[in-house]
Amino acid sequence: MSLTLLTLTGDRPHQFALCEKYVARFNARFDEWIVIDDGEIPTKCTRGQRVIRLQPGKGAADSFQTNLHAGLSAVQSPNVVFIEDDDWYHNWYLAWVEQQLHNHMLVGEAPSIYFNLEHRLIRNMGNRAHASLCQTACRTNLARQALKHSRGTAFDMELWGMSVPRSLSQTSQPFVVGMKGHLTGRKG
């Protein structure tokens, strides 16, 4: 199956270095990893990613939308996997996504689990109807369609609001944990 990983980043070198380690452990292949970088300082990419540099200086919502547009325009494979730069990924995550995408246009994991590094707290978000973007993959054309209606940073909600064949799995052990409260790097 043809898969492209898409990561939006900027001025988060510590988080991105960890992201590269998590992706390197994946037990499935992908065709390309596209990184959209709008940081003041270029992100150091060491895993053969295709990097698209954008102008820095936008607010969080504008940065997200601009980067997402650029990223989805660059994706050439029929499937896109959103890999956020500041989250933890299990080594079997991509293999699981690939399996789910064989029969569904939109796949994800629920509930979302977040860990706050600063306060050392874990939180189960309790969501059962949608997945966070960090734990979402879909057909590229579906993502592009959702982007036409998306505003701000709630693109995941736009995707999961679409009526398409989907798989929202509740796994016994999470494949993705959202990491919040990083003490370094740009917020958001």
Side-chain angles (χ1 to χ4, degrees):
M1 174 172 282
S2 182
L3 299 171
T4 294
L5 309 184
L6 179 59
T7 302
L8 315 179
T9 194
D11 295 325
R12 296 155 66 101
H14 175 74
Q15 291 90 328
F16 192 81
L18 289 173
C19 182
E20 283 192 321
K21 289 180 183 179
Y22 303 144
V23 169
R25 298 179 314 161
F26 282 162
N27 289 337
R29 295 184 185 268
F30 53 89
D31 296 295
E32 184 173 36
W33 186 1
I34 298 173
V35 174
I36 309 298
D37 179 14
D38 71 350
E40 296 284 341
I41 298 169
T43 298
K44 182 179 178 183
C45 295
T46 66
R47 309 284 316 166
Q49 300 95 326
R50 177 162 50 129
V51 179
I52 299 173
R53 287 275 302 148
L54 299 179
Q55 291 288 1
K58 300 172 283 295
D62 286 340
S63 172
F64 177 79
Q65 284 289 318
T66 301
N67 293 357
L68 190 57
H69 274 277
L72 288 174
S73 295
V75 173
Q76 295 177 12
S77 73
N79 302 291
V80 62
V81 182
F82 297 97
I83 302 292
E84 294 196 8
D85 65 354
D86 60 346
D87 296 320
W88 174 87
Y89 290 88
H90 192 284
N91 59 321
W92 287 102
Y93 175 67
L94 195 61
W96 174 80
V97 162
E98 184 176 31
Q99 177 190 28
Q100 298 297 310
L101 280 172
H102 280 291
N103 299 311
H104 303 91
M105 294 179 68
L106 176 64
V107 303
E109 175 185 35
S112 299
I113 306 295
Y114 290 111
F115 181 73
N116 186 294
L117 296 162
E118 183 179 3
H119 301 291
R120 304 280 190 215
L121 297 172
I122 194 162
R123 183 172 178 194
N124 180 327
M125 300 305 288
N127 54 304
R128 301 276 187 240
H130 73 279
S132 295
L133 191 60
C134 65
Q135 54 191 165
T136 295
C138 65
R139 301 285 188 263
T140 303
N141 62 353
L142 182 68
R144 289 177 179 147
Q145 183 181 349
L147 188 57
K148 293 176 184 176
H149 307 286
S150 176
R151 301 288 178 264
T153 58
F155 177 69
D156 49 1
M157 298 302 288
E158 190 68 43
L159 264 176
W160 286 96
M162 300 177 84
S163 180
V164 297
R166 68 182 65 216
S167 172
L168 184 60
S169 298
Q170 297 179 20
T171 56
S172 58
Q173 176 185 345
F175 285 119
V176 181
V177 175
M179 306 299 282
K180 303 300 179 191
H182 287 274
L183 300 177
T184 63
R186 183 171 77 183
K187 303 287 184 209

